[in-house]
Amino acid sequence: MNQEALLRVEKLNAFFKKEDGKIQALKDVSFQVNKGELLAIVGESGCGKSLTSLSIMGLTAKSCQVEAEYIDFQGENLLKISPARLRQLRGKELAMIFQEPLTSLNPLFTIGFQLTETICLHNPVNKKQAREIAVETLKKVEIPRPERILSEYPNALSGGMRQRVMIAMALVNKPSLLIADEPTTALDVTIQAQILFLMKHLMREYHTSIMFITHDLGVVAEMADRVMVMYAGQIVEEANVYDLFSRPLHPYTQGLMNSTIKIDQTDDLLATIPGTVPSLADMPEGCRFHPRCPLAKDECRRICPDLVETEPGRKVRCLQRGGEGSIRFRGSECPENMDKGGNDNG
Ligand SMILES: Nc1ncnc2c1ncn2[C@@H]1O[C@H](COP(=O)(O)OP(=O)(O)O)[C@@H](O)[C@H]1O
Ligand SMILES: [Mg+2]
């Protein structure tokens, strides 16, 4: 890849502590977000999308243990820096917005107070200047009469307005990376489209890269430069948006796409893949998708495939789709008749 990385995540693993040991929720998640790009992370509910972003932000639950070789953000390993430094980055360089803005807006304080506080904490400005920046930013997210909104409490705003305020809050310090976790899922379709358009526009204006989490492939097609598909705590496919939609390689990605086409927008888009995401406590042996996979063969029940680069910038984790239609045996357990033609860098 000739693109410059902003964030590089290497072998991210996450575990939840249980009474009888621990269960693994993320397994060897490695990827990067490049400067200026919008990387979408897609997958059904429970596949580890939120956990991936919370791990990067250092905001996982107490019961969660996060390990990685590194999470490198602009040359700093987020797992090694001090809590104070991490807080500093989170307010300025690294921002996150969530599905439900009320979880990140404090209902007890006015929008104006919360915005100006964020600005003052990270910039050498006085209250008056902070207020001006706040108004400017609210204008950018197309909030009408921003001066008036400053004195409102979050609960007084509509869902769409609250989400705009959240975006303003996230962008006010011009972060280099914005992690947006299903930022529009709670909104109706028209407002959703407006907010997505706005985010894409602001991304260019602020030179912010975005890691965009969604379960909606329509949104991915609209927004993303590159896409990472997650299933059961692992990355199963990675590609640029054009290649992914024109030639999805993983049977799971293909299933997601079929579902999107078949069902109208109000339904659960992912409902047509038979079965459900396995529970963490009961992961299938071999490929984690094999119980739901139309292509599953015997080997798929035994071997957990590696994520293999099939061409520059394209990766897939599937024994049946290691290359264009060809079968490659690559995984943690090798079958007797190893494919000779496979690329052997592992
Ligand atoms: N606090 C928690 N305690 C136990 N398990 C959790 C917790 N948070 C998430 N998980 C589990 O981790 C997995 C990944 O969850 P999550 O990242 O929220 O999925 P997604 O965002 O893709 O819907 C799920 O199986 C979920 O049940
Ligand atoms: Mg989630």
Side-chain angles (χ1 to χ4, degrees):
M1 291 259 90
N2 50 4
Q3 277 170 309
E4 203 181 337
L6 182 68
L7 174 78
R8 291 184 304 135
V9 176
E10 188 64 24
K11 293 208 168 68
L12 171 64
N13 288 283
F15 306 85
F16 285 102
K17 292 175 204 119
K18 297 275 153 178
E19 313 82 65
D20 51 347
K22 58 184 185 180
I23 49 173
Q24 186 158 15
L26 292 178
K27 185 155 190 322
D28 289 344
V29 172
S30 304
F31 65 99
Q32 68 182 50
V33 183
N34 297 313
K35 285 197 177 146
E37 81 171 348
L38 193 147
L39 173 73
I41 302 183
V42 66
E44 287 161 291
S45 182
C47 284
K49 307 182 298 297
S50 295
L51 201 51
T52 300
S53 52
L54 292 170
S55 301
I56 294 166
M57 297 293 288
L59 293 174
T60 50
K62 279 235 160 60
S63 61
C64 185
Q65 178 190 336
V66 174
E67 292 168 3
E69 277 184 15
Y70 53 79
I71 299 178
D72 182 295
F73 176 64
Q74 296 180 322
E76 287 180 272
N77 185 349
L78 298 182
L79 293 174
K80 292 276 161 68
I81 59 178
S82 69
R85 176 66 185 147
L86 185 60
R87 274 197 301 277
Q88 197 177 34
L89 284 175
R90 275 206 299 256
K92 188 147 174 68
E93 295 289 312
L94 191 55
M96 182 159 179
I97 50 182
F98 302 90
Q99 178 173 334
E100 184 37 71
L102 279 185
T103 55
S104 17
L105 290 172
N106 190 325
L108 300 178
F109 297 101
T110 63
I111 304 294
F113 178 85
Q114 297 184 58
L115 263 175
T116 51
E117 194 182 54
T118 307
I119 297 164
C120 286
L121 256 172
H122 298 280
N123 299 281
V125 293
N126 60 33
K127 274 270 144 62
K128 183 161 171 288
Q129 291 164 319
R131 207 184 143 83
E132 282 161 16
I133 297 172
V135 170
E136 271 315 298
T137 314
L138 289 174
K139 276 189 196 151
K140 290 252 196 274
V141 296
E142 292 163 10
I143 286 186
R145 287 173 295 159
E147 290 84 359
R148 223 202 59 200
I149 292 283
L150 287 181
S151 53
E152 299 276 16
Y153 289 85
N155 282 306
L157 306 180
S158 69
M161 278 299 151
R162 274 204 292 265
Q163 201 53 289
R164 282 170 199 266
V165 170
M166 263 312 299
I167 295 172
M169 192 90 95
L171 291 178
V172 74
N173 290 325
K174 301 191 165 59
S176 44
L177 179 66
L178 172 66
I179 299 179
D181 189 350
E182 312 239 10
T184 57
T185 305
L187 304 173
D188 78 52
V189 177
T190 324
I191 310 262
Q192 180 173 337
Q194 289 168 5
I195 301 246
L196 292 176
F197 178 80
L198 180 69
M199 284 184 67
K200 191 99 197 197
H201 170 77
L202 290 173
M203 170 188 177
R204 297 212 182 91
E205 177 166 344
Y206 286 80
H207 304 289
T208 296
S209 304
I210 299 185
M211 194 174 122
F212 193 97
I213 294 171
T214 180
H215 64 270
D216 185 338
L217 279 177
V219 171
V220 172
E222 193 73 33
M223 299 283 286
D225 300 304
R226 232 155 37 85
V227 190
M228 196 168 101
V229 183
M230 288 190 78
Y231 185 75
Q234 295 180 315
I235 298 172
V236 296
E237 181 158 8
E238 198 185 303
N240 74 49
V241 69
Y242 177 80
D243 288 343
L244 191 88
F245 279 87
S246 61
R247 210 160 35 93
L249 293 179
H250 200 284
Y252 180 58
T253 315
Q254 292 169 348
L256 292 183
M257 286 185 185
N258 292 339
S259 316
T260 308
I261 294 161
K262 276 187 209 132
I263 296 184
D264 79 76
Q265 289 182 328
T266 52
D267 280 309
D268 180 358
L269 295 176
L270 305 171
T272 56
I273 302 175
T276 53
V277 179
S279 89
L280 300 180
D282 194 19
M283 275 300 159
E285 291 286 302
C287 171
R288 294 180 172 193
F289 187 60
H290 88 254
R292 302 173 74 186
C293 182
L295 302 183
K297 302 217 166 39
D298 229 18
E299 67 198 16
C300 304
R301 294 177 246 284
R302 287 183 290 117
I303 304 161
C304 179
D306 290 334
L307 186 65
V308 178
E309 185 158 40
T310 58
E311 56 200 85
R314 261 214 107 154
K315 291 180 187 163
V316 65
R317 187 189 292 282
C318 177
L319 295 175
Q320 312 306 327
R321 290 292 164 79
E324 200 58 13
S326 70
I327 297 174
R328 289 185 190 184
F329 298 104
R330 290 183 55 84
S332 42
E333 181 202 321
C334 285
E336 306 77 40
N337 50 344
M338 185 76 169
D339 176 27
K340 293 191 282 293
N343 50 358
D344 47 18
N345 52 358

